[in-house]
Amino acid sequence: MKAVIRIGVVILVILLIGFYSGPSFQENDILENESFTTETGRDSQEDNIPAYTDSLTRPKSGISVYVGRSLEEFKQEWGEPDRMDPGKFGQTWMIYKSEDYYLQAAIRDQKISAIFAMGNGVDSSPYYSGQPVDEIYRFTMITTEIFVEDGEESYQFELSEQDLHSRLLVPYDDLYAQLLIDSTTNRLMGVYFMDKQTLISQRPYEKEPTEQEGISEPDQELPQNLEEVNRAREEQLFDMVNFIRKENGLSALERNEAASDAAREYSISMGQESTDEDVEEDTEEISSLEERLTNVKEPYESAAENTAYQFDIAPSVVHAWMNSMEHRNTMLDDKYTHTGLGVYGLYFTQNFLEIPPSDNETASQPEIERAD
């Protein structure tokens, strides 16, 4: 009898070891860009954030002064960009990169229509990179409702309590500053200055037309140059993620084309097979991350994936990932060495790989993680 019990215990131990020794999977929700209303934000007793409605006087210095000015005037100060990226809404993005800043400026009709900047190498007056949020609250007129008139049309933008902690919107006459805050450190990550038309087109907040007849919504159809726009936003994600990693003392990621192909296929699958209501249900039927990375030839020790949807511009995606703990931890994990990026319309995917040096021995069984 004792022998039978011993045999049973041994079998149980073997089964438990076999159960726990396989790859681990982390299945999180796909990060969605949701719109919020602000009734809870106005009455917050904990934060004591004011709710003013008047516009501020436009800044007299810093990068924001170029919004509305000519392309030639901007280039006189900043020179030729590192590259030109096609964009939506009739805009073209000029990309400027340095060790201490990342900047992209939008051109529409030969004028600067929007500028996103992060890093200490750019004067974002009256704000600065890394600025504590408490300081912003003390010296900035915070508003929870912003009314924008565009000809005969009027729009009301409403900020939620979450917006007040992570993406403030500050009106300056005909200029609008979106303050992208890192809610983990409570410091300013980047500033997005934009004109009225850009604000209305990109729908960054819940927007309700006023009670006027015949008000139409901005066109949200995919652009005709979708493929070019997708590739451009992949490059922007790559630049911004590596800039943030370097700011946090981490090594830059290298591109892996096979991982990029897998990321693109996944974004296309989400975009073509899913709607806003059933994206989670549909994507569960798509192949796993481990299966999608089968074309990666290099031996890798671990892999992870960040995804997002309903985003129009790359800076908003990176900001959202930084404010989600699972996505943030993946982005700032020093073990990852390579990345692949895929964008399709409003759907964004970034794969992360831990690939050891080529002179190392064959890597162990990959550990798969996924931060959706």
Side-chain angles (χ1 to χ4, degrees):
M1 183 65 181
K2 292 183 179 179
V4 173
I5 294 176
R6 291 193 188 99
I7 293 173
V9 170
V10 171
I11 293 174
L12 179 60
V13 170
I14 293 174
L15 290 174
L16 290 174
I17 293 175
F19 179 77
Y20 286 108
S21 62
S24 63
F25 295 84
Q26 183 177 341
E27 300 286 341
N28 301 314
D29 293 336
I30 296 173
L31 188 60
E32 177 183 1
N33 183 20
E34 298 179 346
S35 297
F36 301 91
T37 55
T38 60
E39 295 304 321
T40 56
R42 293 189 205 170
D43 298 328
S44 174
Q45 299 297 323
E46 177 182 353
D47 303 303
N48 194 28
I49 299 174
Y52 303 129
T53 58
D54 294 335
S55 296
L56 297 172
T57 301
R58 183 166 175 159
K60 304 298 184 183
S61 63
I63 194 67
S64 70
V65 302
Y66 292 100
V67 176
R69 294 187 181 180
S70 68
L71 171 61
E72 291 75 13
E73 189 174 358
F74 182 85
K75 284 187 174 182
Q76 287 178 1
E77 176 68 22
W78 284 85
E80 292 295 328
D82 291 282
R83 69 172 186 271
M84 301 283 287
D85 286 351
K88 294 177 63 177
F89 315 111
Q91 294 176 325
T92 300
W93 290 100
M94 296 188 296
I95 308 300
Y96 293 83
K97 300 183 296 181
S98 173
E99 289 295 325
D100 57 355
Y101 70 81
Y102 173 85
L103 182 148
Q104 54 182 81
I107 309 167
R108 186 197 301 115
D109 299 328
Q110 296 300 304
K111 291 184 178 181
I112 304 300
S113 57
I115 298 175
F116 170 76
M118 62 179 176
N120 294 321
V122 178
D123 181 0
S124 300
S125 298
Y127 312 102
Y128 60 89
S129 181
Q131 185 175 11
V133 67
D134 290 343
E135 181 178 312
I136 295 174
Y137 289 152
R138 287 197 303 269
F139 298 103
T140 302
M141 185 177 293
I142 306 300
T143 177
T144 58
E145 293 184 347
I146 295 177
F147 298 89
V148 180
E149 294 185 358
D150 185 26
E152 296 181 355
E153 298 181 355
S154 298
Y155 297 90
Q156 176 182 334
F157 293 85
E158 298 184 353
L159 278 67
S160 69
E161 183 174 359
Q162 179 175 339
D163 293 328
L164 292 173
H165 289 279
S166 62
R167 50 174 197 166
L168 300 171
L169 185 64
V170 183
Y172 289 95
D173 296 331
D174 58 345
L175 174 75
Y176 299 87
Q178 187 180 47
L179 309 183
L180 301 182
I181 297 167
D182 182 342
S183 58
T184 299
T185 62
N186 286 321
R187 292 181 177 273
L188 186 64
M189 187 193 94
V191 184
Y192 185 32
F193 295 106
M194 61 191 121
D195 62 13
K196 182 188 303 182
Q197 185 176 349
T198 301
L199 174 65
I200 293 174
S201 298
Q202 293 185 358
R203 303 168 178 259
Y205 303 91
E206 178 67 14
K207 177 176 73 305
E208 294 294 339
T210 59
E211 296 181 1
Q212 298 182 27
E213 296 295 332
I215 295 179
S216 60
E217 294 291 340
D219 184 12
Q220 289 294 306
E221 295 181 359
L222 297 177
Q224 294 182 350
N225 60 337
L226 175 62
E227 185 70 18
E228 296 177 357
V229 173
N230 290 339
R231 299 294 82 78
R233 287 186 289 185
E234 290 172 6
E235 293 298 324
Q236 293 163 18
L237 286 176
F238 180 74
D239 291 337
M240 282 183 283
V241 169
N242 272 338
F243 181 82
I244 292 174
R245 284 176 63 90
K246 289 182 178 179
E247 279 196 320
N248 285 270
L250 305 176
S251 58
L253 300 170
E254 298 180 24
R255 296 293 287 267
N256 182 281
E257 289 306 319
S260 292
D261 291 339
R264 292 182 190 120
E265 290 177 4
Y266 190 47
S267 291
I268 292 172
S269 297
M270 288 192 293
Q272 293 182 344
E273 300 181 14
S274 304
T275 64
D276 293 347
E277 291 75 19
D278 59 11
V279 62
E280 283 290 348
E281 179 180 351
D282 286 351
T283 52
E284 290 177 357
E285 302 176 0
I286 300 175
S287 60
S288 68
L289 174 60
E290 184 177 21
E291 295 170 328
R292 294 196 297 277
L293 293 176
T294 54
N295 289 330
V296 175
K297 303 304 181 184
E298 298 85 351
Y300 59 93
E301 296 183 348
S302 62
E305 185 176 73
N306 281 349
T307 55
Y309 80 111
Q310 289 188 344
F311 289 87
D312 274 316
I313 60 173
S316 295
V317 176
V318 175
H319 173 250
W321 281 343
M322 283 293 287
N323 281 278
S324 168
M325 192 54 63
E326 293 91 353
H327 301 80
R328 179 193 187 91
N329 289 342
T330 297
M331 188 189 303
L332 299 182
D333 195 329
D334 194 31
K335 70 181 178 182
Y336 296 119
T337 58
H338 292 71
T339 187
L341 300 110
V343 177
Y344 178 79
L346 305 180
Y347 297 82
F348 297 75
T349 301
Q350 181 170 16
N351 291 327
F352 297 81
L353 296 173
E354 179 188 3
I355 300 179
S358 57
D359 57 347
N360 282 7
E361 296 181 358
T362 302
S364 59
Q365 173 68 37
E367 175 187 350
I368 307 295
E369 298 178 2
R370 179 181 167 195
D372 294 332

